[in-house]
Amino acid sequence: MIELDGVRQLLPRRRPMLLVDRVLEVVPGERIVAAKAVTCNEPWYARLPEGTPAERLGYPSALVIESWGQAAGILSRLSGELPEGMMLLAGMSDVLVHRTVLPGVLLEHRARIVRSLGDHLIFEGESVVDGDTMVSIGRMVMAFRPESALLPPDGDGR
Amino acid sequence: MNLTGQNAERHEQAPAAMTAEITHTASLETLLAAPCPDFPVLPGVCVLEYLRASAEAYPPAPGLRWRAVDRVRFLGAVFPGEELTVRLTWQRSGEDEWTGLATANTVRGTAASARLRYVGEADR
């Protein structure tokens, strides 16, 4: 089990984009199970009127995917020597949104390493609530790139 | 996420296809500046969110629900303040199913391309 302090050390993300609360189980180089608690106090709901019906407070699916990806990122950090550079989301395929995630649930992200190809890592898995799959990820590709490849237009990378 | 479409242009090409072009100004709000304060780049899922929001602002039919990302590729970084133009083409892919082919472009080129699938009541 890795608690929040350990998660913070493994991921560069900070509030409110740190979307993993705890690692429940990990087998380095193979798989991870991580938890993310969803609440109605998250900033994504700030612009909605106070009386918005609960069933309309669907958690943004893109953030469920981001949260799952952060769990995959932790797995990669714990899986031995990594290629140099920043870990970036390069692409995804066969991502299915099965159900809407609502506040009050504990998302359980299950991610598995499918393949390692040089400076790319490929994952698959799903996000589950009480045994029901909410989002399934057919394939997520993470790439490691030097920071210089991403410099803003007014930086040295122009 | 604050997604504001500007200069939207929408025109039907045929009953089964429709295109739209929406220009956003990419905003890395205060909240989102927190992830990497020394390196403010829009996370890939936020670019995906612009594509999704654009698709749902210009749906080809009422009552559609986001079902899948069949494919998305992130090809370049997007920085706060940059103009992000989403080009969207809808294709009917089933009786009550539509696929949105979307690209997000900055002045430096294509930042992302995706196939987003939406279904209506009949396919749920």
Side-chain angles (χ1 to χ4, degrees), chain A residues 77-107:
Chain A
R77 296 279 175 215
L78 295 172
S79 295
E81 197 168 319
L82 294 170
E84 287 187 11
M86 295 176 66
M87 187 171 64
L88 301 169
L89 177 56
M92 296 183 287
S93 59
D94 300 322
V95 176
L96 294 176
V97 181
H98 299 275
R99 292 179 172 83
T100 301
V101 173
L102 294 172
V105 304
L106 189 69
L107 272 170

Short mmCIF file of all heavy atoms in Angstrom, two decimals, chain A residues 77-107:
data_model
loop_
_atom_site.label_atom_id
_atom_site.label_comp_id
_atom_site.label_asym_id
_atom_site.label_seq_id
_atom_site.Cartn_x
_atom_site.Cartn_y
_atom_site.Cartn_z
N ARG A 77 6.77 4.28 -12.89
CA ARG A 77 7.84 4.78 -12.02
C ARG A 77 8.40 3.69 -11.10
O ARG A 77 9.53 3.76 -10.66
CB ARG A 77 7.34 5.93 -11.14
CG ARG A 77 6.92 7.16 -11.92
CD ARG A 77 8.10 8.02 -12.31
NE ARG A 77 7.67 9.13 -13.16
CZ ARG A 77 8.39 9.64 -14.15
NH1 ARG A 77 9.56 9.16 -14.43
NH2 ARG A 77 7.93 10.64 -14.88
N LEU A 78 7.56 2.71 -10.83
CA LEU A 78 7.98 1.63 -9.92
C LEU A 78 8.50 0.41 -10.67
O LEU A 78 8.78 -0.62 -10.06
CB LEU A 78 6.79 1.22 -9.03
CG LEU A 78 6.28 2.29 -8.06
CD1 LEU A 78 4.99 1.82 -7.39
CD2 LEU A 78 7.34 2.63 -7.03
N SER A 79 8.64 0.56 -11.97
CA SER A 79 8.96 -0.62 -12.78
C SER A 79 10.37 -0.59 -13.35
O SER A 79 10.61 -0.98 -14.50
CB SER A 79 7.94 -0.76 -13.92
OG SER A 79 6.65 -1.02 -13.39
N GLY A 80 11.30 -0.13 -12.55
CA GLY A 80 12.69 -0.19 -12.96
C GLY A 80 13.14 1.02 -13.73
O GLY A 80 12.48 2.06 -13.75
N GLU A 81 14.26 0.89 -14.40
CA GLU A 81 14.87 2.02 -15.09
C GLU A 81 14.01 2.44 -16.27
O GLU A 81 13.58 1.61 -17.08
CB GLU A 81 16.26 1.62 -15.59
CG GLU A 81 17.11 2.82 -15.94
CD GLU A 81 18.57 2.41 -16.14
OE1 GLU A 81 19.06 1.57 -15.36
OE2 GLU A 81 19.16 2.92 -17.08
N LEU A 82 13.76 3.73 -16.33
CA LEU A 82 12.90 4.27 -17.39
C LEU A 82 13.75 5.04 -18.40
O LEU A 82 14.82 5.53 -18.06
CB LEU A 82 11.85 5.22 -16.79
CG LEU A 82 10.83 4.58 -15.86
CD1 LEU A 82 10.03 5.68 -15.17
CD2 LEU A 82 9.90 3.66 -16.64
N PRO A 83 13.23 5.18 -19.62
CA PRO A 83 13.92 6.05 -20.57
C PRO A 83 13.97 7.47 -20.01
O PRO A 83 13.14 7.86 -19.19
CB PRO A 83 13.01 5.99 -21.82
CG PRO A 83 12.21 4.74 -21.66
CD PRO A 83 12.03 4.55 -20.19
N GLU A 84 14.93 8.25 -20.44
CA GLU A 84 15.06 9.62 -19.95
C GLU A 84 13.96 10.50 -20.54
O GLU A 84 13.40 10.20 -21.59
CB GLU A 84 16.43 10.18 -20.34
CG GLU A 84 17.56 9.57 -19.53
CD GLU A 84 18.87 10.25 -19.82
OE1 GLU A 84 18.87 11.30 -20.48
OE2 GLU A 84 19.90 9.72 -19.36
N GLY A 85 13.67 11.59 -19.83
CA GLY A 85 12.72 12.57 -20.34
C GLY A 85 11.40 12.56 -19.60
O GLY A 85 11.19 11.79 -18.66
N MET A 86 10.52 13.46 -20.05
CA MET A 86 9.19 13.57 -19.44
C MET A 86 8.29 12.46 -19.98
O MET A 86 8.36 12.12 -21.16
CB MET A 86 8.54 14.91 -19.82
CG MET A 86 9.25 16.13 -19.28
SD MET A 86 8.46 17.62 -19.90
CE MET A 86 6.85 17.52 -19.11
N MET A 87 7.44 11.94 -19.10
CA MET A 87 6.48 10.93 -19.55
C MET A 87 5.22 11.66 -20.05
O MET A 87 4.61 12.43 -19.32
CB MET A 87 6.13 9.99 -18.41
CG MET A 87 5.28 8.82 -18.86
SD MET A 87 5.08 7.57 -17.58
CE MET A 87 4.17 8.49 -16.36
N LEU A 88 4.87 11.42 -21.28
CA LEU A 88 3.73 12.11 -21.90
C LEU A 88 2.73 11.11 -22.43
O LEU A 88 3.09 10.01 -22.85
CB LEU A 88 4.23 12.98 -23.07
CG LEU A 88 5.25 14.05 -22.74
CD1 LEU A 88 5.83 14.63 -24.01
CD2 LEU A 88 4.61 15.14 -21.90
N LEU A 89 1.50 11.55 -22.45
CA LEU A 89 0.45 10.73 -23.05
C LEU A 89 0.55 10.89 -24.57
O LEU A 89 0.35 11.98 -25.11
CB LEU A 89 -0.92 11.21 -22.54
CG LEU A 89 -2.15 10.53 -23.12
CD1 LEU A 89 -2.10 9.03 -22.92
CD2 LEU A 89 -3.42 11.12 -22.49
N ALA A 90 0.87 9.80 -25.25
CA ALA A 90 1.05 9.86 -26.71
C ALA A 90 -0.21 9.50 -27.47
O ALA A 90 -0.44 9.98 -28.58
CB ALA A 90 2.18 8.93 -27.13
N GLY A 91 -1.03 8.64 -26.87
CA GLY A 91 -2.25 8.26 -27.56
C GLY A 91 -3.02 7.20 -26.82
O GLY A 91 -2.54 6.62 -25.84
N MET A 92 -4.24 6.98 -27.29
CA MET A 92 -5.10 5.95 -26.69
C MET A 92 -5.97 5.37 -27.80
O MET A 92 -6.23 6.02 -28.81
CB MET A 92 -6.03 6.54 -25.63
CG MET A 92 -5.35 7.13 -24.42
SD MET A 92 -6.55 7.71 -23.21
CE MET A 92 -7.16 9.19 -24.01
N SER A 93 -6.44 4.15 -27.55
CA SER A 93 -7.43 3.58 -28.47
C SER A 93 -8.36 2.67 -27.69
O SER A 93 -8.02 2.19 -26.60
CB SER A 93 -6.75 2.81 -29.61
OG SER A 93 -5.96 1.78 -29.10
N ASP A 94 -9.52 2.47 -28.26
CA ASP A 94 -10.54 1.58 -27.68
C ASP A 94 -10.84 1.93 -26.21
O ASP A 94 -10.84 1.06 -25.34
CB ASP A 94 -10.10 0.12 -27.80
CG ASP A 94 -9.91 -0.28 -29.25
OD1 ASP A 94 -10.70 0.18 -30.10
OD2 ASP A 94 -8.95 -1.02 -29.54
N VAL A 95 -11.08 3.20 -25.98
CA VAL A 95 -11.48 3.66 -24.64
C VAL A 95 -13.01 3.71 -24.62
O VAL A 95 -13.63 4.43 -25.42
CB VAL A 95 -10.92 5.05 -24.34
CG1 VAL A 95 -11.42 5.56 -22.99
CG2 VAL A 95 -9.39 5.02 -24.37
N LEU A 96 -13.62 2.94 -23.74
CA LEU A 96 -15.08 2.88 -23.68
C LEU A 96 -15.58 3.51 -22.39
O LEU A 96 -15.08 3.21 -21.31
CB LEU A 96 -15.56 1.43 -23.75
CG LEU A 96 -15.32 0.70 -25.07
CD1 LEU A 96 -15.77 -0.75 -24.96
CD2 LEU A 96 -16.07 1.40 -26.21
N VAL A 97 -16.56 4.40 -22.54
CA VAL A 97 -17.20 5.03 -21.37
C VAL A 97 -18.48 4.24 -21.10
O VAL A 97 -19.47 4.36 -21.82
CB VAL A 97 -17.51 6.50 -21.65
CG1 VAL A 97 -18.15 7.15 -20.43
CG2 VAL A 97 -16.24 7.26 -22.05
N HIS A 98 -18.45 3.39 -20.09
CA HIS A 98 -19.57 2.49 -19.82
C HIS A 98 -20.66 3.14 -18.98
O HIS A 98 -21.84 2.97 -19.22
CB HIS A 98 -19.08 1.22 -19.09
CG HIS A 98 -18.09 0.43 -19.88
ND1 HIS A 98 -18.46 -0.50 -20.81
CD2 HIS A 98 -16.74 0.45 -19.88
CE1 HIS A 98 -17.38 -1.04 -21.36
NE2 HIS A 98 -16.32 -0.48 -20.80
N ARG A 99 -20.22 3.88 -17.94
CA ARG A 99 -21.18 4.46 -17.00
C ARG A 99 -20.67 5.82 -16.55
O ARG A 99 -19.48 6.09 -16.62
CB ARG A 99 -21.36 3.57 -15.77
CG ARG A 99 -22.04 2.25 -16.05
CD ARG A 99 -22.15 1.43 -14.77
NE ARG A 99 -22.96 0.23 -14.97
CZ ARG A 99 -22.50 -0.90 -15.47
NH1 ARG A 99 -21.23 -0.98 -15.83
NH2 ARG A 99 -23.30 -1.94 -15.61
N THR A 100 -21.59 6.61 -16.04
CA THR A 100 -21.22 7.92 -15.50
C THR A 100 -20.75 7.77 -14.06
O THR A 100 -21.41 7.10 -13.25
CB THR A 100 -22.42 8.87 -15.56
OG1 THR A 100 -22.85 8.98 -16.92
CG2 THR A 100 -22.06 10.25 -15.04
N VAL A 101 -19.64 8.40 -13.75
CA VAL A 101 -19.10 8.37 -12.38
C VAL A 101 -19.70 9.55 -11.62
O VAL A 101 -19.65 10.69 -12.08
CB VAL A 101 -17.56 8.48 -12.41
CG1 VAL A 101 -17.01 8.62 -11.00
CG2 VAL A 101 -16.96 7.27 -13.12
N LEU A 102 -20.27 9.29 -10.46
CA LEU A 102 -20.90 10.33 -9.66
C LEU A 102 -20.16 10.53 -8.34
O LEU A 102 -19.46 9.62 -7.87
CB LEU A 102 -22.37 9.96 -9.38
CG LEU A 102 -23.28 9.92 -10.62
CD1 LEU A 102 -24.65 9.35 -10.26
CD2 LEU A 102 -23.42 11.31 -11.23
N PRO A 103 -20.29 11.70 -7.73
CA PRO A 103 -19.64 11.94 -6.44
C PRO A 103 -20.07 10.91 -5.39
O PRO A 103 -21.20 10.43 -5.42
CB PRO A 103 -20.13 13.34 -6.05
CG PRO A 103 -20.47 13.99 -7.34
CD PRO A 103 -21.01 12.90 -8.22
N GLY A 104 -19.13 10.60 -4.51
CA GLY A 104 -19.43 9.65 -3.43
C GLY A 104 -18.87 8.27 -3.66
O GLY A 104 -18.94 7.42 -2.77
N VAL A 105 -18.28 8.06 -4.83
CA VAL A 105 -17.77 6.71 -5.11
C VAL A 105 -16.26 6.67 -4.97
O VAL A 105 -15.57 7.69 -5.01
CB VAL A 105 -18.18 6.23 -6.53
CG1 VAL A 105 -19.69 6.28 -6.68
CG2 VAL A 105 -17.48 7.03 -7.61
N LEU A 106 -15.76 5.47 -4.82
CA LEU A 106 -14.33 5.23 -4.82
C LEU A 106 -13.96 4.54 -6.12
O LEU A 106 -14.38 3.41 -6.37
CB LEU A 106 -13.93 4.34 -3.62
CG LEU A 106 -12.43 4.20 -3.40
CD1 LEU A 106 -11.82 5.51 -2.93
CD2 LEU A 106 -12.14 3.09 -2.40
N LEU A 107 -13.25 5.27 -6.96
CA LEU A 107 -12.81 4.70 -8.23
C LEU A 107 -11.61 3.80 -7.96
O LEU A 107 -10.67 4.20 -7.26
CB LEU A 107 -12.37 5.81 -9.18
CG LEU A 107 -13.40 6.47 -10.08
CD1 LEU A 107 -12.76 7.69 -10.75
CD2 LEU A 107 -13.91 5.50 -11.14
#
